Amino acid sequence: MSSIRENVLRVKEAIEKTAERAGRKPDEIRLVAASKTVDVQRIRAAIEAGVSILGENYVQEAKKKIEAVDKPAAWHFIGHLQKNKAKYAVKLFEMIQSLDSVALAEELDRRAGQVKRRMEVLVEVNLSGETSKWGVGEGEAMGLLYRIKELGNLSFQGLMTMPPYFEDPEDSRPYFVRLRKLVERIVEEGVYSGRMELSMGMSNDFLVAIEEGATLVRVGTAVFGPRP
Ligand SMILES: *Cc1c(COP(=O)(O)O)cnc(C)c1O
């Protein structure tokens, strides 16, 4: 339990130091503790140590945990969302980071309308083309964004990506650069304006992601230890 506290403090300190070295403000970067498979007690320990956003991959697992944790925190959905779970997702999560199709966008919009809220979303982009990964291809992203713009109950906040796993975090850098450039293009083309979120970087490569502009880093193992 105390090691979770130490882990959280270590990760937060690394975020701050890296931000400063990269000439960024540390408070531009938010830690999302990726808590799939992690039990309620350990999640509570992370919140007590200063974690304020949890990232979950499965709706049913998240629902049980959100009800049981009973401490102030925001929950983001970071896994693949099935359309038939959208009605639960709009009630449970502050943000869906993994919007990856027009059909899902339309269903989330409809369900968000039913509970009278605007749902914050990130579009997940699959930059590697790996078939094992979800997300829209780089070429399809703009089309999805134009559709989201028409959906009044969705609030587009930015992009998310998950590069292939590399031993050397430097190998992730080109993917992070591409995601940043895509966000820049969205602004240049006038599709959206203002501040955009870039959700990129996990335990092995979040420091590189911060150097390349990440505003949300999704860190699991470095906070909670290895998963079973
Ligand atoms: C599990 C997960 C993470 C965190 O992975 P770690 O390597 O444990 O930090 C980040 N993003 C997504 C989408 C995940 O599923």
Side-chain angles (χ1 to χ4, degrees):
M1 209 62 92
S2 69
S3 79
I4 289 183
R5 164 169 294 275
E6 284 159 22
N7 291 348
V8 169
L9 298 181
R10 193 181 322 109
V11 167
K12 286 198 151 195
E13 194 179 295
I15 290 172
E16 279 173 31
K17 287 212 168 123
T18 306
E20 275 161 14
R21 245 194 297 115
R24 303 185 58 199
K25 295 201 194 86
D27 63 7
E28 287 172 10
I29 299 134
R30 294 189 287 164
L31 169 65
V32 179
S35 49
K36 58 177 174 271
T37 78
V38 176
D39 65 38
V40 166
Q41 260 195 319
R42 288 155 75 222
I43 292 174
R44 286 198 195 110
I47 296 171
E48 278 163 15
V51 162
S52 54
I53 309 173
L54 285 308
E56 286 282 341
N57 293 58
Y58 305 100
V59 170
Q60 259 153 338
E61 178 187 340
K63 184 170 189 293
K64 283 193 205 133
K65 283 150 70 170
I66 292 170
E67 284 162 3
V69 162
D70 197 31
K71 284 199 178 285
W75 297 76
H76 288 191
F77 192 76
I78 63 175
H80 175 64
L81 186 60
Q82 290 172 293
K83 242 174 49 180
N84 63 3
K85 299 280 165 57
K87 62 171 179 274
Y88 307 110
V90 298
K91 292 185 192 158
L92 294 169
F93 299 102
E94 267 70 28
M95 185 188 282
I96 308 292
Q97 293 204 5
S98 44
L99 180 49
D100 61 2
S101 73
V102 168
L104 178 60
E106 289 170 350
E107 180 63 5
L108 274 174
D109 177 71
R110 190 170 78 85
R111 294 298 188 176
Q114 285 175 349
V115 295
K116 298 194 165 32
R117 70 169 295 190
R118 252 185 126 213
M119 187 80 232
E120 295 194 345
V121 295
L122 304 183
V123 165
E124 179 174 358
V125 186
N126 180 347
L127 295 171
S128 63
E130 286 173 291
T131 51
S132 62
K133 293 248 158 71
W134 299 95
V136 292
E138 220 167 345
E140 303 160 278
M142 285 295 178
L144 178 52
L145 293 194
Y146 280 112
R147 183 67 187 116
I148 293 171
K149 240 174 128 85
E150 298 168 340
L151 300 172
N153 304 313
L154 297 187
S155 170
F156 174 73
Q157 300 286 312
L159 303 179
M160 185 267 246
T161 200
M162 202 164 150
Y165 178 81
F166 298 109
E167 285 293 324
D168 181 356
E170 276 301 321
D171 292 339
S172 299
R173 190 183 296 275
Y175 294 91
F176 299 150
V177 171
R178 273 166 69 193
L179 198 72
R180 190 187 67 224
K181 295 232 157 106
L182 187 53
V183 146
E184 286 165 6
R185 222 177 79 214
I186 290 165
V187 176
E188 275 161 24
E189 291 188 14
V191 189
Y192 280 95
S193 62
R195 190 182 166 278
M196 296 280 159
E197 302 281 3
L198 275 174
S199 176
M200 55 192 199
M202 320 205 317
S203 292
N204 65 321
D205 57 13
F206 69 98
L207 299 179
V208 174
I210 290 168
E211 290 169 0
E212 296 302 340
T215 64
L216 291 161
V217 289
R218 309 178 311 271
V219 181
T221 311
V223 168
F224 295 111
R227 286 179 291 274

